[in-house]
DNA sequence: TATTGTTATACTCTATAACTATA
DNA sequence: TATAGTTATAGAGTATAACAATA
């Protein structure tokens, strides 16, 4: 994705932020917007959410769709299409569980290979977007964000 | 918006987070997801982005659409529909500028009244979602997020 | 009865490309 | 030529409601 507004003149005076600057919600949204753009530009294979899903399946082989949905705070109907896409790319497979209502999820060999590569790129991406933070600040930010959204 | 997965059993063991827990990008996305849900539930009139737009116009009366788009890191074509919606609700008006290519944006009386109410609700929302943070931590988080996404 | 996965459907937010009026 | 606003179109990500199979 191109950076929006990159075709606009850059000389205009800065807008006043008004009451916006002091809002955590605003800063959070803008920061996430920035990170998302950098992620998309450097890891075109996969969105942040999809990559997270693969990591979660890797860490919890055999997890069911509903449990995964719950862990990612998504509806289980949303999960179906997402998993369809990852499965059709050959990165994961569904296997019927002993409770025959459920599907267990496993990464395929190709999925593990792809994920390993993606993880290296994510590490680069993280370093790039947090370049203005010291490593102590980075740690601190992680803790504060964790407090904002427990679990 | 309902909290997704709220109809799922809550007793299952917690999933391992794997490598996810250490990623700023992941924490940021999840935190923003949480905040967005609380915002939507407590301020149904307006999305966070729309509310931010009104605040920016309030702080910069007469701003043009393109400058506003640039300040919010949105494409100017995206701005058109958003402003159409806010204008049709009677909260802002476009006035032709002296450069007749441009529209200047102003809040209407109704827009100012609505925004004042919305701002009070946003203040409540911010307090609620940052309830687990001390005021020093809240300040610190604001600074760190600002470093992540300068301007 | 309750849960899992699924389908059909719709909504929000956003972008790209091409157009027009103006500068 | 370049910029501002606009339109048509498309894509990603998400939700709700209803359904069949299974527990």
């Amino acid at each position: 994705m191109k950076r929006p507004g990159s075709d606009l003149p850059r000389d205009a005076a800065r807008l006043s932020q008004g009451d916006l600057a002091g809002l955590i919600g605003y800063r959070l949204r803008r920061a996430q917007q920035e990170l998302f753009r950098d992620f998309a530009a450097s890891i075109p294979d996969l969105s942040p959410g999809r990559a997270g899903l693969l990591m979660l399946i890797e860490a919890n082989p055999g997890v069911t769709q509903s449990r995964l949905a719950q862990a990612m705070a998504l509806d289980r109907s949303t999960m179906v299409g997402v998993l369809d896409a990852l499965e059709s790319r050959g990165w994961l497979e569904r296997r019927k569980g002993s409770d025959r209502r459920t599907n267990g999820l496993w990464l395929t060999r190709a999925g593990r290979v792809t994920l390993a590569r993606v993880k290296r790129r994510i590490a680069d991406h993280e370093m790039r977007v947090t370049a203005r933070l010291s490593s102590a600040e980075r740690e601190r930010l992680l803790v504060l964000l964790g407090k904002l959204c427990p679990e």
Side-chain angles (χ1 to χ4, degrees), chain A:
Chain A
M1 191 189 334
K2 201 185 56 170
R3 198 193 176 98
S6 52
D7 55 338
L8 294 172
R10 271 279 34 187
D11 54 317
R14 167 127 283 95
L15 288 194
S16 159
Q17 300 246 55
D19 299 320
L20 229 36
L23 298 179
I24 300 268
Y26 176 69
R27 288 285 185 202
L28 206 54
R29 200 168 63 86
R30 292 300 300 271
Q32 211 238 318
Q33 205 175 18
E34 260 319 284
L35 259 68
F36 185 89
R37 285 191 226 281
D38 186 276
F39 193 107
S42 49
I43 306 150
D45 293 338
L46 224 44
S47 70
R50 310 287 171 95
L53 225 43
L54 290 184
M55 287 195 232
L56 225 39
I57 295 171
E58 179 188 48
N60 303 275
V63 64
T64 66
Q65 299 188 189
S66 283
R67 290 236 294 149
L68 197 56
Q70 180 189 355
M72 293 289 271
L74 297 177
D75 193 88
R76 69 188 199 279
S77 69
T78 302
M79 196 52 73
V80 175
V82 177
L83 294 175
D84 285 350
L86 296 173
E87 190 175 34
S88 76
R89 297 257 241 152
W91 290 335
L92 62 82
E93 54 182 340
R94 292 160 154 119
R95 295 187 207 151
K96 270 279 169 252
S98 56
D99 176 341
R100 305 229 329 284
R101 292 170 303 184
T102 64
N103 291 332
L105 301 169
W106 273 268
L107 294 190
T108 61
R109 177 133 199 72
R112 284 189 295 273
V113 170
T114 297
L115 184 54
R117 180 168 44 77
V118 164
K119 275 167 151 182
R120 288 192 296 273
R121 295 211 189 173
I122 289 178
D124 294 346
H125 153 79
E126 284 265 319
M127 283 301 109
R128 192 165 47 246
V129 297
T130 60
R132 292 180 208 87
L133 269 52
S134 72
S135 106
E137 285 174 325
R138 195 181 167 287
E139 212 41 52
R140 189 96 183 96
L141 179 54
L142 222 36
V143 169
L144 290 172
L145 289 173
K147 281 195 176 191
L148 222 49
C149 177
E151 305 313 271

